[in-house]
mmCIF file of all heavy atoms in Angstrom:
data_model
loop_
_atom_site.group_PDB
_atom_site.id
_atom_site.type_symbol
_atom_site.label_atom_id
_atom_site.label_comp_id
_atom_site.label_asym_id
_atom_site.label_seq_id
_atom_site.Cartn_x
_atom_site.Cartn_y
_atom_site.Cartn_z
ATOM 1 N N ASN A 208 -117.024 -95.895 114.773
ATOM 2 C CA ASN A 208 -116.638 -96.887 113.776
ATOM 3 C C ASN A 208 -117.742 -97.189 112.771
ATOM 4 O O ASN A 208 -117.684 -98.173 112.051
ATOM 5 C CB ASN A 208 -116.173 -98.181 114.462
ATOM 6 C CG ASN A 208 -117.191 -98.730 115.439
ATOM 7 O OD1 ASN A 208 -118.282 -98.175 115.576
ATOM 8 N ND2 ASN A 208 -116.844 -99.805 116.125
ATOM 9 N N PHE A 308 -115.988 -91.739 74.856
ATOM 10 C CA PHE A 308 -115.924 -93.062 74.227
ATOM 11 C C PHE A 308 -115.037 -93.024 72.984
ATOM 12 O O PHE A 308 -114.350 -93.982 72.673
ATOM 13 C CB PHE A 308 -117.331 -93.555 73.879
ATOM 14 C CG PHE A 308 -118.074 -94.080 75.072
ATOM 15 C CD1 PHE A 308 -118.983 -93.286 75.750
ATOM 16 C CD2 PHE A 308 -117.858 -95.367 75.528
ATOM 17 C CE1 PHE A 308 -119.672 -93.767 76.854
ATOM 18 C CE2 PHE A 308 -118.537 -95.871 76.625
ATOM 19 C CZ PHE A 308 -119.445 -95.056 77.298
ATOM 20 N N TYR A 655 -136.251 -80.243 119.778
ATOM 21 C CA TYR A 655 -136.164 -78.803 119.595
ATOM 22 C C TYR A 655 -134.774 -78.333 119.990
ATOM 23 O O TYR A 655 -134.079 -78.964 120.801
ATOM 24 C CB TYR A 655 -137.233 -78.073 120.409
ATOM 25 C CG TYR A 655 -137.200 -78.322 121.898
ATOM 26 C CD1 TYR A 655 -136.379 -77.565 122.741
ATOM 27 C CD2 TYR A 655 -138.010 -79.308 122.465
ATOM 28 C CE1 TYR A 655 -136.351 -77.791 124.100
ATOM 29 C CE2 TYR A 655 -137.984 -79.541 123.830
ATOM 30 C CZ TYR A 655 -137.154 -78.778 124.644
ATOM 31 O OH TYR A 655 -137.127 -79.013 126.004
#
Side-chain angles (χ1 to χ4, degrees):
N208 54 3
F308 282 98
Y655 58 86

